Amino acid sequence: MSHLNPTTTRHDSRLDLTDPYVLQNAATSRDTAPGMLRGELEQQLQKSRHFASDASHEMRTALTGLRAELEEARLHPDQTDLPELLTGALKGVDRLDAILTDLRILAEMETGPAVEPQQIDLAELVRDEVSRRGDRLRVQLWLQPGVIVRAIPIRIARLLTNLLDNAQRHAERTVEVRVSRVGDDAEMTVTDDGGGIAEAERERIFQRFTRLGAAQRLDHKGTGLGLAIARDIAQAHRGTLHVRKSATGGACFVLRLPSAQRPTSRPQ
């Protein structure tokens, strides 16, 4: 995804970069869109095709597994364990639902209506979001108050949700969230004490539909889109998201956003 200004999440209507047909016409036309090189359009078209192919593959894989289970049960009804069949079918439905949900989030980020960012206290947002969750491991919070960012709350909440889901999936005993001010930036870290991420894989995990072996074993519903969405959200807010080794040997995801000052009232 290209970097988006947080004041808007919609591309210029003169050239819809989310529509492969528009991209194809623009890339092959002599009248290239103002300010854009034909090579850039072709590159964007290739990315769009690749993403569509990956999404189609993921959904077809889930559907194929679901169909195979149901057809086997139809062929051998006397040998079918109904509760087991229903459990397996529901797992397939859950995976499809998760893929569709993540695709909807990506579509909304690309082409949804413009949303005005707000000044939010990052510590308050973290505390509110964590309080709504019902995780297997209690999330430890270390929150510095008054760390203000200008952001779209629902997007930052989604970013945090994706990082916490990932941490809960891999953690053995500890999940921790810290919020602090670092220079001119606001920093949020989400840490776990799981197996960690090999240095060679620390960029690849942010690619769409990438799931490492451990993630596939631990969560059948994962789509490989959660971390990619989290980084897209960070970049759309002129921030960064990367992962490093935590002090406990697991993963530590680090979000950096430009800090914002609370508006001060003028003296009467």
Side-chain angles (χ1 to χ4, degrees):
M1 175 182 292
S2 58
H3 292 225
L4 303 178
N5 188 314
T7 60
T8 177
T9 56
R10 173 175 288 171
H11 290 296
D12 191 327
S13 60
R14 292 172 299 178
L15 184 64
D16 184 359
L17 299 183
T18 66
D19 188 333
Y21 297 101
V22 173
L23 287 170
Q24 177 70 64
N25 291 336
T28 57
S29 172
R30 294 181 180 179
D31 300 324
T32 309
M36 298 194 70
L37 300 177
R38 186 171 301 174
E40 293 175 323
L41 290 169
E42 291 173 347
Q43 184 180 24
Q44 187 66 35
L45 176 61
Q46 185 62 31
K47 287 181 180 179
S48 178
R49 285 171 171 166
H50 183 67
F51 175 67
S53 175
D54 285 345
S56 175
H57 172 74
E58 291 294 319
M59 295 188 68
R60 185 173 296 278
T61 299
L63 281 170
T64 298
L66 181 58
R67 177 183 290 275
E69 289 186 17
L70 295 175
E71 288 183 345
E72 181 70 17
R74 185 179 64 176
L75 289 173
H76 307 287
D78 296 338
Q79 302 174 27
T80 298
D81 184 322
L82 184 58
E84 183 178 344
L85 172 66
L86 294 175
T87 298
L90 286 173
K91 286 182 179 179
V93 171
D94 285 344
R95 176 155 175 75
L96 282 168
D97 182 66
I99 293 172
L100 289 171
T101 297
D102 282 346
L103 290 176
R104 177 180 56 78
I105 292 169
L106 287 169
E108 288 176 352
M109 290 176 61
E110 289 278 4
T111 61
V115 180
E116 279 293 327
Q118 307 170 22
Q119 285 201 350
I120 59 175
D121 186 315
L122 194 55
E124 291 180 2
L125 182 144
V126 169
R127 186 178 291 106
D128 289 345
E129 290 302 314
V130 170
S131 70
R132 296 189 179 101
R133 297 173 61 91
D135 291 314
R136 68 181 182 90
L137 296 175
R138 180 177 176 272
V139 180
Q140 300 179 13
L141 300 179
W142 303 85
L143 307 177
Q144 177 182 344
V147 179
I148 310 301
V149 296
R150 186 166 174 78
I152 300 171
I154 192 172
R155 297 283 163 77
I156 301 302
R158 166 54 60 177
L159 183 156
L160 175 62
T161 292
N162 289 2
L163 295 185
L164 284 173
D165 287 349
N166 181 77
Q168 291 285 342
R169 185 182 303 124
H170 293 278
E172 295 181 4
R173 293 176 298 276
T174 304
V175 175
E176 177 186 283
V177 180
R178 289 179 179 263
V179 170
S180 60
R181 184 180 291 107
V182 180
D184 293 332
D185 291 333
E187 182 179 273
M188 180 183 75
T189 61
V190 178
T191 303
D192 66 71
D193 64 344
I197 301 169
E199 188 171 356
E201 305 287 354
R202 290 178 188 170
E203 275 300 305
R204 194 168 75 88
I205 60 171
F206 292 106
Q207 297 175 6
R208 294 175 178 181
F209 296 111
T210 296
R211 301 189 73 210
L212 303 184
Q216 294 181 31
R217 290 193 305 271
L218 293 168
D219 183 8
H220 69 273
K221 293 190 297 183
T223 64
L225 287 171
L227 295 179
I229 290 172
R231 174 169 276 187
D232 284 349
I233 292 171
Q235 292 177 342
H237 287 81
R238 301 192 185 94
T240 61
L241 178 65
H242 68 276
V243 64
R244 66 190 184 207
K245 185 177 180 179
S246 73
T248 55
C252 177
F253 286 83
V254 183
L255 170 70
R256 286 282 188 96
L257 296 173
S259 64
Q261 298 296 323
R262 289 188 185 274
T264 57
S265 58
R266 295 181 180 178
Q268 299 297 319

